[in-house]
């Protein structure tokens, strides 16, 4: 019985590290999107107007690039929130030495719901934002915004939460 628990602890350690890396990548993405927006909105840095460079070197409308930065910002914020929740779950599971606790199953369920809801919410915000942005800037071209992939992962987390809850109930007996 020790071997499966040790395997789960190892998985939790790896999950904690990966979620920390993803969170850091999301912070870098947020900063990159904000810097991109500042540059694209015509701020002169080091005496150079980078907007002119973008317009002269691409066939893509500057409005599309601006909206892509806004879309990326929304995505990075949502994924950063998910990574932080995942990191908190893994920390808690490691502290409790087992995922088979009622608290752990509740946190896993919450992570599953958020994994489904946040990306779909982000897509909804981005699509509405595109509609508004396109109304004011018709040159803005639509691009593929997708958040449907994470539904399967969220459902898996919810199913795992039921399994963990069942395991917690068995341990209590």
């Amino acid at each position: 019985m020790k071997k499966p628990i040790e395997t789960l602890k190892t998985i939790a350690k790896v999950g904690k590290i990966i979620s920390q890396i993803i969170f850091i990548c999301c912070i870098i993405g947020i900063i990159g999107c904000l810097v991109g927006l500042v540059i694209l909105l015509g701020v002169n840095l080091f005496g150079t107007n980078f907007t002119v460079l973008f317009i002269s070197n691409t066939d893509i409308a500057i409005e599309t690039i601006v909206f892509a930065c806004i879309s990326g910002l929304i995505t990075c914020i949502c994924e950063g929130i998910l990574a932080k929740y995942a990191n908190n779950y893994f920390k808690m599971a490691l502290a409790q030495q087992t995922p088979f606790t009622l608290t752990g199953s509740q946190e896993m369920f919450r992570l599953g719901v958020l994994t489904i809801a946040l990306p779909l919410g982000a897509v909804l915000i981005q699509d509405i934002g595109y509609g508004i942005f396109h109304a004011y800037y018709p040159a803005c071209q639509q691009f593929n915004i997708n958040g449907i992939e994470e539904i399967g992962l969220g459902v898996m987390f919810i199913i795992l939460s039921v399994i963990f809850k069942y395991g917690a109930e068995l341990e209590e007996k």
Side-chain angles (χ1 to χ4, degrees):
M1 190 66 177
K2 286 268 190 206
K3 184 74 172 158
I5 293 294
E6 293 303 318
T7 303
L8 288 173
K9 287 180 187 176
T10 303
I11 291 171
K13 288 176 187 174
V14 171
K16 180 181 161 200
I17 292 167
I18 290 172
S19 62
Q20 287 172 335
I21 291 169
I22 292 171
F23 182 75
I24 291 168
C25 289
C26 288
I27 296 297
I28 292 168
I30 289 168
I31 292 168
C33 289
L34 290 173
V35 168
L37 283 171
V38 167
I39 290 171
L40 289 170
L41 295 176
V43 176
N44 287 326
L45 295 177
F46 312 114
T48 304
N49 185 338
F50 288 94
T51 306
V52 174
L53 293 175
F54 279 116
I55 291 172
S56 63
N57 291 326
T58 184
D59 293 335
I60 300 171
I62 194 72
E63 293 87 353
T64 304
I65 299 171
V66 168
F67 186 73
C69 284
I70 293 169
S71 181
L73 183 65
I74 293 168
T75 300
C76 286
I77 289 170
C78 288
E79 294 299 327
I81 291 169
L82 282 177
K84 197 61 177 167
Y85 269 98
N87 186 271
N88 290 342
Y89 169 77
F90 289 124
K91 283 181 184 177
M92 184 205 51
L94 286 170
Q96 294 177 343
Q97 300 290 314
T98 180
F100 299 106
T101 62
L102 291 177
T103 307
S105 68
Q106 290 169 346
E107 288 299 314
M108 181 62 77
F109 183 80
R110 179 178 298 139
L111 184 59
V113 169
L114 287 173
T115 301
I116 294 169
L118 281 177
L120 289 179
V123 168
L124 184 65
I125 291 169
Q126 291 167 352
D127 283 342
I128 291 170
Y130 171 76
I132 294 168
F133 203 79
H134 185 69
Y136 287 101
Y137 304 102
C140 182
Q141 302 162 348
Q142 190 166 14
F143 52 91
N144 188 14
I145 301 171
N146 201 351
I148 203 88
E149 311 86 18
E150 299 198 33
I151 291 176
L153 185 61
V155 169
M156 183 196 70
F157 286 152
I158 292 171
I159 292 170
L160 277 175
S161 75
V162 172
I163 294 169
F164 291 166
K165 184 176 180 180
Y166 179 70
E169 291 170 353
L170 284 179
E171 283 187 2
E172 285 180 359
K173 291 179 183 182

